């Protein structure tokens, strides 16, 4: 573990970005231990730019519903995490807190498939950040979309 991160305890993606900047989001996803985002273990962030992140994730058995496709809760987690990651590319010190989130499910992601997820900041203000997340299959077919709004609490 990096010396500067040892003191952070659970070294999730938010703590890494705060300590090391947005480029630390690249590579294997770092969950916050055994919390909700641990389902994304194995996700890989392949692109990080200002207001934009791209990741790929294999739909594992743990992510599947009884139909053998990605569970809606997993899709919601991806929208939550990628929305936050996109905001962290603007300011790695301001992950925000969720105030609204929605998903639209357009087609199933089958177990064993690789899903590509793109998170984009659509508006970034002093008090609120707005993001959109798109999930596609390897052929570019749109599987789901999501929106995530986060508030930035006042310092103090």
């Amino acid at each position: 573990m990096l010396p500067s991160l040892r003191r952070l305890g659970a070294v999730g993606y938010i703590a890494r970005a705060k300590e090391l900047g947005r480029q630390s989001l690249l590579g294997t996803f770092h969950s916050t231990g055994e919390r909700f985002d641990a389902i994304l273990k194995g996700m890989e962030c392949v692109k990080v730019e200002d207001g934009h992140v791209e990741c790929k994730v294999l739909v594992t058995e743990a992510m599947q519903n009884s139909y053998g496709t990605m569970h809606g809760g997993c899709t919601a987690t991806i929208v939550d995490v990628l929305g936050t990651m996109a905001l962290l590319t603007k300011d790695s010190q301001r992950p925000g807190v969720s105030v609204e989130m929605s998903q639209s499910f357009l087609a199933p992601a089958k177990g064993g498939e690789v899903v590509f997820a793109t998170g984009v900041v659509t508006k970034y203000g002093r008090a609120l950040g707005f993001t959109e997340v798109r999930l596609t299959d390897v052929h570019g077919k749109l599987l789901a979309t999501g929106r995530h709004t986060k508030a930035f609490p006042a310092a103090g």
Side-chain angles (χ1 to χ4, degrees):
M1 186 182 305
L2 296 169
S4 60
L5 291 176
R6 272 196 203 114
R7 63 184 167 75
L8 296 177
V11 186
Y13 71 102
I14 293 173
R16 290 178 67 82
K18 184 175 185 176
E19 183 75 12
L20 301 172
R22 72 182 186 195
Q23 290 306 112
S24 69
L25 299 171
L26 278 170
T28 303
F29 176 71
H30 294 273
S31 80
T32 50
E34 295 301 317
R35 299 194 179 163
F36 78 97
D37 61 2
I39 194 70
L40 299 180
K41 179 181 172 186
M43 181 171 78
E44 181 183 1
C45 188
V46 296
K47 187 174 188 179
V48 173
E49 296 177 344
D50 186 38
H52 182 102
V53 293
E54 293 179 16
C55 297
K56 62 181 181 177
V57 61
L58 175 67
V59 181
T60 64
E61 189 172 344
M63 297 175 179
Q64 296 172 34
N65 58 26
S66 59
Y67 299 106
T69 60
M70 184 184 284
H71 191 283
C74 184
T75 301
T77 299
I78 291 172
V79 171
D80 182 9
V81 168
L82 263 77
T84 302
M85 289 172 84
L87 291 170
L88 288 169
T89 68
K90 301 293 277 177
D91 183 342
S92 63
Q93 305 298 306
R94 292 186 352 150
V97 293
S98 298
V99 295
E100 185 174 36
M101 202 169 80
S102 66
Q103 299 81 42
S104 295
F105 306 98
L106 306 166
K110 297 180 179 94
E113 255 186 346
V114 173
V115 171
F116 295 91
T118 303
V120 176
V121 175
T122 57
K123 183 172 181 173
Y124 189 80
R126 185 174 46 83
L128 294 172
F130 299 84
T131 66
E132 289 184 353
V133 177
R134 296 171 55 90
L135 282 71
T136 60
D137 68 11
V138 294
H139 305 291
K141 179 180 179 183
L142 188 59
L143 304 174
T145 62
R147 292 176 186 244
H148 192 195
T149 305
K150 297 191 88 175
F152 304 121

